[in-house]
Amino acid sequence: MSDPLIRIDGIAKKFTGRDGVITTVFEDLHFGIEPGEFVCLIGHSGCGKTTILNVLSGLEQSSEGYVFVGGREVSGPSLDRAVIFQSHALMPWLTVMGNIAFAVSSRWPEWNDEKVREHCQKYIDLVNLTGAEKKRPAELSGGMKQRVGIARALSIQPKMLLMDEPFSALDALTRGVLQEEVLRICAETRQTVFMITHDVDEAILLADKIILMTNGPRAKIAEIVVNTMPRSRTRHDLHKHPHYYRIRNHLIDFLVDRSKMFSSSAAGYDPRTPPLVTPGLDPNEAPAVDPVKPQVVGGAPLTVVR
Amino acid sequence: MKSLLSWRAPALSLMVFLLMIGIWHALTLPKVMPVTAESEYAALVGTAAATGQKSAFPSPADVGAKIMQHLGEPFYDRGPNDKGIGIQLAYSIARVMLGYLLAALVAIPVGFLIGMSPTVYRALDPYIQVLKPISPLAWMPLALFTLKDSSISAIFVIFICSLWPMLINTAFGVSSVRKEWLNVARTLEVGNMRTAFRVILPAAAPTIMTGMRISISIAWLVIVAAEMLVGGTGIGYFVWNEWNNLSITNIITAILAIGMVGMLLDLMMAKLTKLVTFPE
């Protein structure tokens, strides 16, 4: 953690209600994101996940604390940090090409049309949308729309990608395919990503580190789980790795029980350096569930109800 | 089956048309009255007195003949009180277009600014709400007094009546642009002007066009009344002049022409609206 790309330093969000009572959604959050790292944030609804992402993107101001990108404080939205919105946020009056070109020509206003188009085409090809350039968002399926959203975000070559539950509105099959594409694209481009999700399996597949939030109000980072599986994991062999169920059980244990019982007064807890957990590598850990006969029934993705 | 359905509606339309013409024709048939006059007197005063009374209301055939006559010579000009119906319509359309375009030039930028700021929106809303329901013709005396020119006053009345729907719709369209599109522009560090023209304008365009379509219909309704008041030229003046001439056939012809032009104006705006509408 010598010089992370992004450093979040004690941010908090507080609202003053109509009756004058101050509600603290989350407080005292500290974490860093290294270049090339894929970080997921998991927590129940109400812990301010989207607000955290908005603070990172600069769309919202935090009530306390600071966000630093490359050593400089974030004061507003920037082309350094591209956002992929949950609702894809494509402009319906523009074609696929037009939507991406709007971003590209905002990033490089001096480029001519030909250069913009070439650049856009590269990213349309990257997300496998070749041939759909002239379609409008209304003619696309949900998965294709989100591909355009991804292409638009990547096309401005940001230092960092911020994703707000990007696949939650998609069906399970499409979600799986897109997760693999994101994995492939991130491996190709070495993109730094911060993603919010409520899907445990999605987090295990994509993330290098998983930040666990306690329940709001006054949500905190309970711990940061390191994904102990190799980065070359795929959806097909993920569950065969010996660490898979250890990580998964750890996450689900947390979400089901520990997230609401978490107490910041626990011995040794310091919000500045939340405990780092390495399931599968921890010698004190309880014996792992036999991956051949898992106690978790079936392979159905266990999704936390939002 | 589809071809059968496709001509069913036009056939029904035609039947309704023929039925209405038939009723109109029957109602305006000359009433056969018992001959009360002496046959010698009848021979002296002509057939009308002898056979009965022709209806004062023109028959469809009379109006048809008049329409054909106007169509044959729409643009003649024989002095200030005798101009072709085409010329009169052209005067009216020109006035409507001028007033309407001036209103658009004011309403769209102002509406844009109002829509961008919730504070301005709320501050100006009471004025708009009071000014909007005022009949445009109520402005006429004030306009005549201050502008001192009847023709400019008519254009002003068109301006004032076209203003409100465009202003309100533009402000509403701009203020209800989806937040997420604005957030996209913000994360891309798009400047204010570029956001206004590339994001807000296209997003609000369908709503703005709806306002423009409402405005042109109102403007066309109002021009007839305004021209009846100011006189001189225009289709409204033509109707009033023919009323003074007691030429019901000309009045009916003019009414039909007003309807046709109004429909064409609306159709034109509908086409333009379709150009800027996007499917969600």
Side-chain angles (χ1 to χ4, degrees), chain B residues 121-143:
Chain B
Y121 200 144
R122 260 174 293 161
L124 295 186
D125 195 51
Y127 299 105
I128 296 173
Q129 295 306 332
V130 169
L131 291 170
K132 185 182 64 164
I134 297 172
S135 163
L137 293 173
W139 293 99
M140 184 66 98
L142 207 60

Side-chain angles (χ1 to χ4, degrees), chain A:
Chain A
M1 294 272 274
S2 53
D3 186 25
L5 177 65
I6 281 214
R7 193 154 61 83
I8 284 85
D9 203 356
I11 58 167
K13 187 76 184 179
K14 292 174 178 173
F15 293 104
T16 309
R18 217 175 307 171
D19 46 3
V21 178
I22 297 171
T23 314
T24 305
V25 187
F26 56 80
E27 60 182 359
D28 227 359
L29 302 189
H30 299 261
F31 63 95
I33 301 172
E34 307 285 335
E37 212 172 27
F38 198 125
V39 175
C40 269
L41 181 89
I42 291 193
H44 288 283
S45 54
C47 71
K49 296 194 296 281
T50 298
T51 313
I52 295 172
L53 187 122
N54 284 348
V55 169
L56 257 58
S57 69
L59 288 170
E60 258 184 79
Q61 299 279 315
S62 60
S63 312
E64 288 167 19
Y66 308 95
V67 176
F68 297 95
V69 176
R72 292 174 62 181
E73 194 192 337
V74 166
S75 54
S78 154
L79 285 157
D80 286 349
R81 282 156 283 134
V83 185
I84 296 175
F85 296 88
Q86 185 179 6
S87 55
H88 59 76
L90 298 180
M91 302 187 189
W93 58 90
L94 295 175
T95 59
V96 168
M97 178 66 87
N99 267 291
I100 301 171
F102 179 70
V104 172
S105 57
S106 301
R107 176 76 175 80
W108 295 283
E110 69 281 3
W111 283 13
N112 63 20
D113 288 358
E114 183 56 35
K115 196 163 183 200
V116 168
R117 201 169 52 246
E118 255 173 48
H119 187 84
C120 294
Q121 191 63 52
K122 207 164 77 195
Y123 286 90
I124 290 171
D125 296 345
L126 182 72
V127 297
N128 289 329
L129 275 179
T130 318
E133 293 88 352
K134 295 212 165 58
K135 289 210 166 106
R136 281 172 202 276
E139 301 167 82
L140 302 177
S141 66
M144 286 167 92
K145 281 181 200 165
Q146 202 49 279
R147 280 167 195 260
V148 182
I150 294 169
R152 177 172 66 183
L154 290 171
S155 71
I156 59 170
Q157 297 177 341
K159 282 187 189 153
M160 155 134 231
L161 207 56
L162 302 169
M163 303 167 118
D164 184 5
E165 302 192 23
F167 310 130
S168 61
L170 305 176
D171 63 273
L173 279 173
T174 316
R175 195 186 309 149
V177 174
L178 273 180
Q179 283 165 356
E180 292 227 307
E181 299 232 339
V182 166
L183 207 60
R184 169 180 67 82
I185 290 166
C186 288
E188 277 174 27
T189 56
R190 301 285 302 150
Q191 186 71 55
T192 313
V193 186
F194 177 75
M195 180 163 115
I196 287 172
T197 183
H198 57 266
D199 184 338
V200 168
D201 284 318
E202 183 170 279
I204 299 173
L205 175 65
L206 297 174
D208 301 319
K209 272 186 200 160
I210 302 161
I211 299 176
L212 299 178
M213 294 282 292
T214 64
N215 287 3
R218 301 176 79 86
K220 288 180 189 60
I221 296 177
E223 55 188 47
I224 297 176
V225 177
V226 177
N227 193 339
T228 48
M229 286 190 285
R231 232 194 163 177
S232 58
R233 57 195 176 261
T234 65
R235 213 152 44 100
H236 303 284
D237 58 19
L238 184 72
H239 56 282
K240 297 187 186 110
H241 194 278
H243 290 172
Y244 174 71
Y245 281 105
R246 286 205 166 124
I247 301 172
R248 195 171 196 273
N249 290 351
H250 185 87
L251 295 179
I252 289 169
D253 267 354
F254 175 82
L255 287 169
V256 173
D257 293 322
R258 288 190 294 131
S259 65
K260 46 181 177 281
M261 301 189 309
F262 182 82
S263 155
S264 56
S265 56
Y269 177 77
D270 176 10
R272 287 167 187 284
T273 51
L276 215 59
V277 184
T278 51
L281 299 181
D282 196 342
N284 304 331
E285 207 173 341
V289 178
D290 184 356
V292 185
K293 281 186 237 159
Q295 288 174 344
V296 179
V297 182
L302 183 56
T303 302
V304 178
V305 180
R306 293 202 303 142

Side-chain angles (χ1 to χ4, degrees), chain B residues 23-200:
Chain B
I23 294 170
W24 179 7
H25 180 75
L27 287 174
T28 52
L29 276 180
K31 292 191 185 71
V32 182
M33 305 269 241
V35 179
T36 50
E38 295 280 323
S39 59
E40 281 172 22
Y41 174 71
L44 280 173
V45 296
T47 44
T51 56
Q53 200 137 31
K54 193 178 182 307
S55 167
F57 201 85
S59 69
D62 297 335
V63 175
K66 198 53 146 186
I67 290 173
M68 291 320 288
Q69 184 198 325
H70 279 297
L71 284 179
E73 201 184 8
F75 297 113
Y76 72 88
D77 186 355
R78 294 183 203 114
N81 273 340
D82 196 4
K83 292 191 199 325
I85 200 165
I87 290 184
Q88 306 286 29
L89 280 171
Y91 271 112
S92 298
I93 292 171
R95 281 194 189 112
V96 162
M97 283 303 166
L98 203 59
Y100 177 79
L101 289 178
L102 285 174
L105 282 179
V106 173
I108 293 170
V110 173
F112 218 95
L113 294 177
I114 294 175
M116 296 272 264
S117 154
T119 315
V120 179
Y121 200 144
R122 260 174 293 161
L124 295 186
D125 195 51
Y127 299 105
I128 296 173
Q129 295 306 332
V130 169
L131 291 170
K132 185 182 64 164
I134 297 172
S135 163
L137 293 173
W139 293 99
M140 184 66 98
L142 207 60
L144 285 170
F145 179 75
T146 48
L147 301 172
K148 298 186 176 61
D149 183 290
S150 62
S151 192
I152 296 175
S153 298
I155 291 165
F156 172 78
V157 166
I158 296 303
F159 167 83
I160 206 88
C161 77
S162 326
L163 192 67
W164 309 117
M166 283 197 264
L167 188 71
I168 291 165
N169 268 49
T170 306
F172 175 74
V174 168
S175 66
S176 51
V177 171
R178 292 244 289 274
K179 190 86 194 289
E180 55 186 49
W181 296 332
L182 297 175
N183 278 346
V184 169
R186 283 180 66 200
T187 58
L188 293 172
E189 291 187 57
V190 179
N192 284 340
M193 283 312 266
R194 198 169 134 90
T195 305
F197 283 103
R198 296 288 306 273
V199 180
I200 299 174

